[in-house]
Amino acid sequence: MPLASAVPVVLTASERHRLKKMAYGHKTPHQARQRATIMLLAARGRPNARIAAQTRLHVDTVRTWRCRFAAGGLPALADRKRSGRPVSFTALQVAEVKALACQLPAGTGAPLSRWSCPELAREVVARSIAGSISTSTVRRWLKQDALKPWQYRSWIFVRDPAFRPKAARVLDLYVRTFDGVPLGEDEYVISADEKTSIQARCRCHPTLAPGQARAMRVNHEYGRGGALAYLAAYDVHRARVFGRCEPKTGIVPFMNLVTQVMTTEPYASARRVFWIVDNGSSHRGKKAVDRLTRAFPNAVMVHTPVHASWLNQIEIFFSIVQRKVVSPNDFTDLGEVRDRLRAFEDRYNATAQPFQWRFTTSDLDDLLARLDRHTLDRREESSARLTA
């Protein structure tokens, strides 16, 4: 009895182009590449046995895909839908697990601060929501709704009743405007604050320099060499920093910083020097304003709103100091800390440019509008729960 001949495969130009991309594409899955290769060889008229030998596949596999393509074209090269394993969990169980993940653990009686997937899996079994469940199943269900109960973000209400005018005044100074009037050439804006408790950690073994495929190595053990406070004043428009180290923060150390700046030109002879500060204890309230004005009549203190020190540009400089000078904190004593901070000030003043501050009063109004809408929505939700 003669053998049945192989099913002929005839390709159109577009099919040949698609199959070549599948067969030679670097990102094509292995199975798809094999099937495309079979079709290209079959289109050249080669028999199944020769294709099987060339692709190292069983001849039955070659015959199957050849017949499927002849009957259905390119779409037939995809895997057919399979019934798969029967569903192990009901939709109600999935919903109960997600609802549990959206509750605070303390409210459910669990002695936890946040849920993790293993803890949720144990809690699901303990509550008899399911007889057994794996951590990976819980993780997959939470991923469907982008639930991450192990993460958290902190937030705070706007408490300062004069938040908008105070913040706007600071932002206007950054664009060289005060009370609607442009600043003159002899008027300056200073941003000042304290960075507290910079420690001198004396490592028990020398720090090793980085090498090929090796990061810098810093010994974990250290001796405490004391701590100091770093006070700094930053000229917003000239990118010039004035700093000093003090044993601790307070009114006297802060006024020492003010004196250091205000006795230096061009600030000593300036028409006005605006000092932007937060509401720290050493420069808080009207007493601090009066104290500054008595000492230097051309100095004007401007406070940021309560809990809005992020508006103070000196915080950006302090973050640079933390990254480039303090971390990973390997100092022999406080004298080395002082020397490095002073040297960094000189280096920074020689190369720095003013910060590209982009947050304007328009952005402030948009932010406050979003906060107002959010607060209103929360109040409406609370009212709805109370009346339900």
Side-chain angles (χ1 to χ4, degrees):
M1 183 176 179
L3 294 174
S5 59
V7 176
V9 173
V10 180
L11 301 177
T12 64
S14 62
E15 288 177 335
R16 187 179 299 277
H17 178 70
R18 289 281 304 279
L19 287 170
K20 283 184 177 180
K21 289 187 68 175
M22 292 171 60
Y24 305 119
H26 294 293
K27 296 184 179 181
T28 306
H30 180 65
Q31 288 183 335
R33 185 181 296 127
Q34 284 183 328
R35 296 166 192 176
T37 303
I38 293 172
M39 294 308 107
L40 290 172
L41 295 174
R44 298 177 186 176
R46 296 184 183 179
N48 292 337
R50 185 176 175 185
I51 296 174
Q54 190 168 346
T55 58
R56 297 183 181 182
L57 297 172
H58 196 277
V59 67
D60 290 341
T61 302
V62 175
R63 184 181 299 112
T64 298
W65 290 111
R66 188 169 189 161
C67 292
R68 286 194 189 181
F69 182 84
L74 281 174
L77 294 182
D79 289 332
R80 292 174 177 173
K81 291 184 178 180
R82 302 174 183 176
S83 59
R85 189 176 62 180
V87 177
S88 302
F89 301 96
T90 65
L92 178 61
Q93 289 175 312
V94 176
E96 288 180 336
V97 172
K98 292 180 179 179
L100 179 62
C102 292
Q103 299 179 50
L104 294 177
T108 65
L112 301 169
S113 61
R114 290 173 287 163
W115 289 120
S116 64
C117 289
E119 293 290 352
L120 278 170
R122 281 191 283 269
E123 190 70 14
V124 167
V125 176
R127 290 168 173 261
S128 300
I129 296 175
S132 64
I133 188 171
S134 67
T135 300
S136 59
T137 299
V138 173
R139 185 177 293 111
R140 185 175 67 254
W141 290 350
L142 298 184
K143 186 177 181 180
Q144 292 172 358
D145 289 340
L147 297 175
K148 299 178 181 179
W150 50 87
Q151 295 184 357
Y152 73 93
R153 295 176 62 184
S154 59
W155 55 273
I156 189 169
F157 282 117
V158 175
R159 292 200 298 131
D160 196 327
F163 187 95
R164 204 281 176 191
K166 288 183 179 179
R169 176 171 291 187
V170 172
L171 296 176
D172 286 342
L173 284 172
Y174 290 159
V175 294
R176 298 193 59 80
T177 302
F178 185 73
D179 288 344
V181 179
L183 298 185
E185 293 296 327
D186 57 347
E187 294 180 302
Y188 302 91
V189 179
I190 299 292
S191 173
D193 201 4
E194 307 98 339
K195 183 174 177 61
T196 61
S197 189
I198 299 180
Q199 298 184 41
R201 294 180 178 179
C202 311
R203 304 291 170 173
C204 297
H205 297 279
T207 296
L208 300 180
Q212 186 176 7
R214 187 192 71 199
M216 178 194 299
R217 296 182 179 179
V218 182
N219 181 237
H220 179 72
E221 294 183 274
Y222 60 86
R224 297 183 183 276
L228 54 78
Y230 179 55
L231 290 77
Y234 174 75
D235 189 322
V236 171
H237 301 114
R238 299 171 69 231
R240 182 169 178 80
V241 173
F242 301 85
R244 62 184 300 112
C245 296
E246 298 280 358
K248 60 182 180 179
T249 61
I251 295 175
V252 173
F254 179 75
M255 291 306 297
N256 290 339
L257 174 68
V258 173
T259 303
Q260 176 182 339
V261 176
M262 296 302 295
T263 55
T264 305
E265 293 295 343
Y267 312 103
S269 59
R271 177 169 171 262
R272 283 186 301 185
V273 179
F274 296 92
W275 283 76
I276 299 175
V277 295
D278 60 16
N279 294 273
S281 59
S282 57
H283 38 69
R284 179 190 302 159
K286 191 175 185 305
K287 289 184 178 180
V289 175
D290 296 338
R291 185 166 52 246
L292 179 66
T293 305
R294 283 196 304 269
F296 300 97
N298 62 335
V300 180
M301 183 171 287
V302 178
H303 286 100
T304 63
V306 177
H307 297 314
S309 57
W310 52 272
L311 287 171
N312 203 342
Q313 288 196 20
I314 191 63
E315 300 296 344
I316 305 176
F317 175 73
F318 282 155
S319 69
I320 296 173
V321 169
Q322 182 64 38
R323 293 194 311 270
K324 294 188 174 184
V325 183
V326 178
S327 298
N329 201 323
D330 181 13
F331 300 100
T332 56
D333 52 35
L334 287 179
E336 185 178 355
V337 177
R338 295 188 185 94
D339 293 342
R340 189 177 299 180
L341 286 170
R342 293 194 194 99
F344 180 75
E345 286 174 20
D346 296 336
R347 181 188 183 96
Y348 186 86
N349 289 334
T351 60
Q353 297 292 326
F355 299 130
Q356 296 182 3
W357 186 270
R358 295 187 176 90
F359 191 81
T360 64
T361 52
S362 298
D363 299 318
L364 174 65
D365 291 335
D366 292 340
L367 174 62
L368 294 177
R370 290 200 305 272
L371 292 175
D372 289 340
R373 288 196 299 270
H374 178 72
T375 304
L376 181 61
D377 292 342
R378 293 297 296 262
R379 288 175 179 172
E380 290 177 351
E381 291 177 4
S382 301
S383 299
R385 284 197 296 266
L386 292 174
T387 57

